[in-house]
């Protein structure tokens, strides 16, 4: 791969991934894991037996 | 078999320390969320040209993409009991963000994730595979196959802690195949509900990441760390959320002898407001900006967005 091709490749990758990560508020507030975060619902049970689901978000690997 | 026996022995040892087992829902459940929105995004980066001698030359001005971006996403998750304390979970996501004004901003994502969960040491342990496909600018970009191991516990009321490690392999479309890589990414998330000080939520996360290029290109291998924070509060009949992300990435080598090895520092901030319209329907507005400072400068970029959308959930 040529030097210029490598530079272009790395630059375009940075742009693509930056555009893909911007919506962290959306990912957390709603359902979208597209913003660089992936959100999962974890079930937990309170002392009174009530089941609640906690949304926990992680950055995509 | 030589690998299987130690694995089974390890699982048996882990099971032995499973007590006290946390209570888990006796029945399965499912959740579905639909999201649509319309917004504006812009992304800019330095302009560069190559001189006749092959040197990189900065051109005044910026390369800029901007336009209206629509968005539609579906997130479905379900869980159930396999046998005894052993449970299964599944998550599926489709997310599409087309842009007629600036097709280069277009982004599509598909995710399928499954896991088995069982009680362990006062929490629950999850292990499972995931596959993810990304398309950027209307072209297939990346497919990721990963295994993840996580441990979740709720040590006190209102606090949830999750430790997680992902082992992932990225494969790319032909034009980007030099980016193929393997990633190891441990991370952690602590989340408090009603932590005081008028907050409805406090969420802190951090993680490390090591990416090894599979084509033997050290200039594309990198290590990084990130911090995530979210503050949530209710005011004026609105649920507010302020998010911050800091990320540092250091690449293993320079792309050429006359340039330094790349180092990125990314700061992203966004703010969202959400209003409950009906039992299963919310209206949401959000604005945000992200800036990547880099060495060398040609990797610097900015991204900003504003959007208004509806979210339905069952």
């Amino acid at each position: 791969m040529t030097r210029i091709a490598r530079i272009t490749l790395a630059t375009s990758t940075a742009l693509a991934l930056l555009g893909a990560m911007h919506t962290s508020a959306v990912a957390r507030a709603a359902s979208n894991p597209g913003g660089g975060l992936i959100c999962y619902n974890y079930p937990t049970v309170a002392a009174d037996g009530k089941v609640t689901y906690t949304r926990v978000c992680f950055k995509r690997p | 078999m030589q690998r299987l026996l130690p694995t089974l022995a390890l699982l048996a040892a882990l099971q032995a320390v499973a007590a006290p087992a946390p209570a888990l829902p006796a029945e399965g459940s499912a959740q579905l969320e639909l999201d649509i929105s319309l917004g504006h995004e812009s992304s800019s980066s330095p302009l560069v040209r190559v001189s006749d001698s092959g040197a990189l030359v900065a051109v005044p001005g910026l390369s800029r993409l901007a336009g209206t971006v629509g968005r539609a996403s579906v997130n479905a998750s379900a869980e159930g009991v396999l046998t005894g304390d052993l449970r299964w979970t599944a998550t599926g996501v489709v997310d599409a963000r087309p842009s007629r004004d600036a097709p280069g901003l277009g982004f599509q994502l598909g995710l399928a994730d499954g896991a088995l969960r069982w009680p362990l040491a006062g929490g629950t342990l999850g292990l499972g595979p995931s596959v993810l496909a990304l398309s950027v600018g209307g072209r297939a970009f990346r497919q990721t196959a990963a295994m993840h191991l996580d441990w979740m516990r709720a040590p006190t009321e209102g606090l949830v802690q999750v430790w997680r490690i992902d082992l992932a392999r990225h494969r790319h479309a032909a034009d980007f195949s030099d980016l193929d890589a393997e990633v190891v990414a441990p991370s952690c998330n602590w989340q408090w509900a009603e932590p005081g000080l008028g907050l409805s939520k406090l969420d802190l996360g951090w993680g490390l990441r090591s990416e090894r290029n599979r084509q033997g290109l050290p200039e594309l291998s990198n290590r990084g760390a990130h911090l995530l924070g979210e503050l949530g509060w209710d005011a004026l009949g609105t649920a507010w959320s302020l998010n911050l992300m800091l990320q540092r990435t250091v690449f293993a080598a320079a792309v050429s002898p006359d340039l330094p090895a790349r180092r990125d520092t990314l700061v992203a901030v966004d703010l969202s407001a959400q209003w409950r319209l009906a039992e299963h329907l919310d209206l949401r507005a959000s604005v945000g900006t992200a800036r990547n400072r880099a060495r060398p400068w040609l990797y610097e970029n900015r991204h900003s967005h504003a959007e208004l959308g509806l979210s339905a959930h069952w």
Side-chain angles (χ1 to χ4, degrees), chain A residues 25-26, chain B residues 239-240 271-275 283-287 306-309:
Chain A
V26 176
Chain B
W240 298 88
L271 176 70
S272 74
Q274 191 158 312
W275 298 270
L283 174 67
R284 188 194 63 253
S286 67
V287 294
E307 69 179 39
L308 184 66

Side-chain angles (χ1 to χ4, degrees), chain B residues 106-150:
Chain B
F107 172 74
Q108 288 82 40
L109 175 150
L111 166 76
D113 181 292
L116 296 177
R117 302 199 69 81
W118 61 93
L120 178 72
T124 62
L125 191 72
L127 174 67
S130 67
V131 292
L132 182 148
L134 283 178
S135 172
V136 179
R139 299 173 62 195
F141 176 68
R142 169 179 290 175
Q143 292 184 338
T144 300
M147 285 294 294
H148 58 85
L149 177 69
D150 70 73

Side-chain angles (χ1 to χ4, degrees), chain A residues 6 24 28 31-32 53 55, chain B residues 29 33 71 95 219 243:
Chain A
R6 289 185 185 184
S24 58
R28 291 160 183 271
S31 61
N32 173 27
Y53 289 86
R55 176 175 292 272
Chain B
S29 68
E33 300 176 1
R71 187 171 146 265
D95 185 3
E219 65 269 31
N243 292 265

